[in-house]
Amino acid sequence: MTVRLFIQIVSVIFGVEVLVMLALDDLMQTYPTVSALLDATIVSVSLLICLDLWVFPQIRKAQNEAKDQLRLQETLINAIPAPVFYKNELGVYIGCNKQFEAYLGRPREQILDRSVFDVAPEDLAEIYHKADMDLIIEGGSQIYETVVVHADGSKHDVMFHKAVFEKSNGLVGGIIGVMVDITQRKELENKLEELASHDTLTGLSNRRDFDARLEQALARSQRTQTQLALLFLDLDGFKDVNDNLGHSAGDQVLQIVAERLTNIMRKSDTAGRMGGDEFAVILEGSVTRDTAALVAEKVLAELASPYTLNEGAVSHLSASIGIAFAPDHGTELDTLFANADRAMYSAKDQGKNRFAIASDDALTTTISETSHN
């Protein structure tokens, strides 16, 4: 663009074309070198005007659009009713929503630019970090259950949903994750599991769970070449409690029996209710006949103590116990139960309130009896 043309355009804009052009002609005739200098100046001025009129507005528009996009993303993430976080490829937090801050009980200043080792107990941080690094290496997405500890120390069961995101160059940029609280679901699952494996009245193992535990105990006994004992007991006179005091009183008696058995048993032992007024106990850990007899004596003494019920009534009961040992009296659940059951009925036939041990010849079901006085 020549100086003359540029000035003419500007003059037209401001309505002083004739005067300006006459002055310009006079100046350029008098000082010819001024023309070249003005040409360079005009180019620079033209560039600045172009930048100011078109380029800079476009840049500002793009910046504003980017800011709007970031605000939209932030609003969107904060609107998600679940904790959301994102980390870089090194596992450092680079963003999160307000729900994530609330779930951890920490402000974002204590989360961003930090790793899981700064916001979680070390044992859990190791789990999170390993999962993150596996995801970074393998790519794709990841789902797993674990525990998250709040800043106040409370623990929550959660399910992590994670996925990698990529940079503009195609390389992995990091991880974005969402946490779903499953604490109530886990509590319900545990409760259902408890109901499925435990007697609802006494809290002891039910027959199904007890059988499973006995199968496991028998397998351990065979593997370690050690002996275990199965005590099978039936309450003496329980029918009279139900008939004379009612089923509510009978239920209270069963609960007291369960409590007394629990107090006698070691942590390695298992007590269960087989149904009605029948109970069973597994004794593990190289149990001898003498130690099993001592336990049976304690059980008989405890169960023979008076039962004070809620209505103020006092009941007096006893128990008959049959004891069978594995492997001497069987290595299979049914065989061991059958021999312990026969021993129990023999003790009952011999006067009750006593225990009996199955003979070494389990096939003949001969019983040696010991009374409790």
Side-chain angles (χ1 to χ4, degrees):
M1 177 184 295
T2 65
V3 174
R4 184 178 184 83
L5 178 59
F6 176 76
I7 293 180
Q8 186 173 6
I9 293 173
V10 174
S11 300
V12 170
I13 294 174
F14 291 98
V16 290
E17 179 184 4
V18 176
L19 294 176
V20 170
M21 296 308 296
L22 289 174
L24 179 61
D25 286 340
D26 183 60
L27 177 64
M28 294 181 68
Q29 289 175 5
T30 305
Y31 304 100
T33 57
V34 173
S35 177
L37 180 60
L38 288 176
D39 279 340
T41 303
I42 292 306
V43 170
S44 299
V45 173
S46 299
L47 179 60
L48 291 174
I49 293 175
C50 180
L51 289 173
D52 188 58
L53 294 178
W54 186 79
V55 176
F56 290 157
Q58 292 298 319
I59 293 176
R60 285 192 290 271
K61 180 181 178 182
Q63 290 174 335
N64 290 333
E65 289 177 349
K67 291 178 181 179
D68 291 341
Q69 188 68 23
L70 288 174
R71 280 193 290 269
L72 175 61
Q73 292 176 359
E74 183 178 358
T75 302
L76 177 62
I77 291 175
N78 282 325
I80 297 175
V84 178
F85 61 89
Y86 30 106
K87 309 173 184 178
N88 63 20
E89 67 274 23
L90 300 178
V92 176
Y93 289 102
I94 56 177
C96 65
N97 66 355
K98 292 181 179 179
Q99 285 74 15
F100 188 76
E101 296 178 52
Y103 204 86
L104 294 190
R106 299 173 181 271
R108 62 192 300 107
E109 292 78 14
Q110 295 180 12
I111 300 174
L112 302 189
D113 298 323
R114 289 172 169 80
S115 74
V116 290
F117 293 98
D118 300 311
V119 300
E122 185 175 356
D123 57 335
L124 292 175
E126 290 286 356
I127 296 174
Y128 306 153
H129 183 69
K130 183 181 183 304
D132 288 347
M133 293 303 101
D134 288 345
L135 183 57
I136 290 290
I137 295 172
E138 298 172 5
S141 59
Q142 182 184 79
I143 300 175
Y144 65 95
E145 295 181 7
T146 185
V147 175
V148 169
V149 178
H150 191 275
D152 64 9
S154 60
K155 294 183 177 181
H156 305 267
D157 293 297
V158 301
M159 178 179 289
F160 275 118
H161 294 257
K162 299 179 184 178
V164 297
F165 63 86
E166 296 181 347
K167 299 177 182 179
S168 59
N169 59 9
L171 298 177
V172 173
I175 296 172
I176 184 167
V178 179
M179 292 195 308
V180 179
D181 189 293
I182 58 172
T183 303
Q184 290 185 344
R185 193 198 80 186
K186 297 296 287 188
E187 290 176 350
L188 178 60
E189 289 176 354
N190 293 336
K191 185 174 182 180
L192 292 175
E193 183 178 350
E194 180 79 10
L195 291 173
S197 61
H198 287 73
D199 177 59
T200 55
L201 178 63
T202 63
L204 298 179
S205 290
N206 59 20
R207 182 60 186 261
R208 175 174 171 271
D209 183 65
F210 189 89
D211 284 356
R213 290 173 180 266
L214 181 55
E215 290 279 14
Q216 295 168 2
L218 287 169
R220 284 191 294 270
S221 174
Q222 294 182 33
R223 186 173 62 252
T224 60
Q225 297 296 303
T226 56
Q227 183 171 253
L228 69 79
L230 173 65
L231 279 62
F232 189 73
L233 65 94
D234 182 87
L235 297 181
D236 304 321
F238 180 73
K239 184 176 182 300
D240 293 337
V241 175
N242 276 336
D243 292 345
N244 298 327
L245 300 178
H247 290 284
S248 176
D251 288 346
Q252 292 178 48
V253 167
L254 295 175
Q255 290 171 335
I256 295 172
V257 169
E259 182 180 359
R260 292 178 181 179
L261 286 176
T262 302
N263 291 336
I264 295 173
M265 298 301 102
R266 303 167 302 175
K267 289 185 178 180
S268 59
D269 301 330
T270 300
R273 182 187 176 201
M274 302 297 98
D277 61 344
E278 294 181 335
F279 295 82
V281 175
I282 303 170
L283 304 178
E284 288 191 77
S286 298
V287 180
T288 66
R289 297 196 177 199
D290 288 341
T291 56
L294 287 175
V295 173
E297 289 282 359
K298 288 182 180 179
V299 171
L300 291 173
E302 284 292 326
L303 299 189
S305 299
Y307 294 77
T308 302
L309 308 180
N310 291 343
E311 293 80 3
V314 178
S315 294
H316 297 276
L317 300 172
S318 61
S320 297
I321 302 174
I323 306 175
F325 295 91
D328 295 346
H329 305 129
T331 57
E332 300 294 331
L333 181 146
D334 291 340
T335 303
L336 201 63
F337 253 118
N339 282 288
D341 183 62
R342 291 188 185 100
M344 182 271 293
Y345 276 108
S346 179
K348 196 176 284 286
D349 291 341
Q350 295 300 315
K352 305 177 182 179
N353 193 29
R354 67 187 63 210
F355 70 87
I357 299 176
S359 72
D360 291 334
D361 184 5
L363 295 176
T364 64
T365 65
T366 302
I367 305 298
S368 60
E369 293 144 1
T370 305
S371 64
H372 176 70
N373 297 316

